[in-house]
Amino acid sequence: MSEILLEARNIFKQFHLPTPPLTPPKTINALNGVNLSLCKGETLGIAGESGCGKSTIAKIILGLEEPTSGEVFFQGTNINCFSKAEKLKFRRNVQMVFQDPYSSLNPRMRVGEIIGEPLTIHGLARGQELRQRVLALMEQVGLSQEHFDRYPHQFSGGQRQRIGVARALALTPEIIIADEPLSALDISIQAQIINLFIDLQKRLGLSYILISHDLAVIRHLSTKVAVMYLGRVVELAKAEDIFSGSLHPYTKALLAAIPGFNTDPGHMPLIEGDIPLSVTPLAGCPFHPRCPFRKDLCKELLPELEEKRDHHFAACHFSCELPVDKHIAEVNNPVNKPTELSHENKK
C-alpha cells in the first residue's frame, strides 16, 4: 500500500457573516466533514463548482486557515502538534501554485528574485550559489537563462505560470497544491502546463493536489478524484473509475458538460439552478433541489459517503439506479496520457 503523505480528517469550516446590530448572526458552512488523503507520488484531483469548498480545504491543508473542527496530518503527525522546526519543514514540503499568474508575481521583482525568494527566506542559499540554483530551476520548467533579469510583465501567461511553478519547486517540496493553475490560460497553453506538471512528477516524484472546476483538466492529471458539492465530498474514486462509471448525479452532470465526452449528449438530464449559499443547511441530500433523479427519500435523509464498489465511494441513496455513462471510446484510456505538445516558445 502506498505511503499516505497527507490526510485531512473530518474537516468542518464555518465563516461568520457580518450582520447589522440586533439581528441574528449568520454562518456559512464552507466545509462539512471532509475526509481526504494523498499518497506519495499520486495526484488527487478536487473538482466542483465555485463555492463548493475546494480552495478552503487547500488553505486549511496549508495552514493558512484554521478549521472549525477536524485535523490535518502530515506523514502521520497532526500539524497542530508540530514544533517550530517541524512547522518549518512542513512549509518547505508543501508548496502552492496559484490560480492567476498575473497577480501572484510581484511586478517589481525580477524573475530570478521571485524564484530565489523562498531560498533566501529560508536561508538555504545566497550569492552565486543562489543564482545557480535559480537557473537550474528555470531550466527545469522550460525557461532560459536570459529570462533571469526580466520582469513578469515581459512574459506570456504560460511563461508566468512556469515562473510560479519554479518558485514552488525551489524548496524541493514533496507536495504541490495547484489551485486552478490553468483557468487563466489559453487552451493551447493549458496543454503545455499539463505536460510540464506530468514531466515534473515523473522526474521529481512529486505528489499533487489539483483543484479545478474543469473535469477535462482533472482527467489528464489525476490518479484519484474527489468531487465536492456544498462543502461535502459526494464522490471519491480512482480517476479511471470516475470517468468510466460515475456513481453520483452531480458527477454525471459535470461529465456531461465536457465537450466531446458523451456520444449522446441528451442522455443526461440537465441540472437546474445554481449552487446555493450554505447559510441554511438543507434537509436531506444537499444536491436534491437540483437533482433530476431525486426521490422523496432524498429530501429527508442525508446520504453518507459509502463504498458502492471497490474503492469507489459515493454519497447517493440511488447510485445503483442511475443511468450508465455513455462516453467515447477514447475515455477508456485517457488518464495521465494527454497529447504530447511541444514546449511553449521560450522567447
Side-chain angles (χ1 to χ4, degrees), residues 35 187 302:
N35 291 280
I187 295 296
L302 176 68

Side-chain angles (χ1 to χ4, degrees), residues 8 27 120 157-158 185 248 270 273 279 287 294 301 314 317 319 336-337:
T27 301
T120 303
L185 306 178
H248 195 281
L270 294 175
V279 177
F287 187 60
R294 62 182 176 267
L301 184 62
H317 295 302
S319 293
N336 293 328
K337 294 183 180 180

Side-chain angles (χ1 to χ4, degrees), residues 251-296:
T251 309
K252 290 182 179 293
L254 293 178
L255 292 174
I258 300 176
F261 183 84
N262 295 288
T263 54
D264 178 13
H267 86 280
M268 174 66 195
L270 294 175
I271 58 174
E272 302 170 352
D274 298 317
I275 187 170
L277 285 175
S278 306
V279 177
T280 304
L282 296 171
C285 174
F287 187 60
H288 85 259
R290 304 175 66 193
C291 181
F293 308 107
R294 62 182 176 267
K295 298 183 181 180
D296 289 341

Side-chain angles (χ1 to χ4, degrees), residues 120-267:
T120 303
I121 290 173
H122 287 265
L124 298 178
R126 62 181 181 177
Q128 190 60 29
E129 181 189 359
L130 176 62
R131 180 182 178 88
Q132 293 304 316
R133 290 180 68 169
V134 170
L135 290 174
L137 288 164
M138 292 174 64
E139 183 180 2
Q140 277 189 326
V141 300
L143 296 170
S144 66
Q145 294 187 9
E146 62 192 47
H147 294 148
F148 187 92
D149 291 316
R150 295 184 185 178
Y151 289 94
H153 73 269
Q154 297 175 282
F155 294 88
S156 68
Q159 289 173 318
R160 292 186 202 191
Q161 198 59 290
R162 291 176 188 271
I163 295 168
V165 172
R167 178 176 58 185
L169 292 174
L171 298 175
T172 59
E174 293 187 63
I175 300 170
I176 288 182
I177 299 177
D179 188 0
E180 300 279 6
L182 308 179
S183 62
L185 306 178
D186 293 338
I187 295 296
S188 61
I189 306 303
Q190 287 183 11
Q192 294 168 12
I193 300 301
I194 285 173
N195 286 332
L196 174 63
F197 276 121
I198 292 172
D199 179 56
L200 290 172
Q201 186 171 49
K202 289 178 180 178
R203 288 194 284 119
L204 304 177
L206 295 169
S207 303
Y208 293 130
I209 296 178
L210 173 66
I211 296 169
S212 181
H213 66 279
D214 187 346
L215 273 178
V217 171
I218 294 283
R219 176 163 63 102
H220 284 305
L221 280 169
S222 302
T223 50
K224 182 169 66 178
V225 178
V227 180
M228 292 186 65
Y229 186 80
L230 275 184
R232 299 180 184 274
V233 176
V234 296
E235 188 162 6
L236 177 65
K238 294 179 181 178
E240 57 263 34
D241 293 337
I242 291 284
F243 289 96
S244 64
S246 57
L247 295 176
H248 195 281
Y250 180 60
T251 309
K252 290 182 179 293
L254 293 178
L255 292 174
I258 300 176
F261 183 84
N262 295 288
T263 54
D264 178 13
H267 86 280

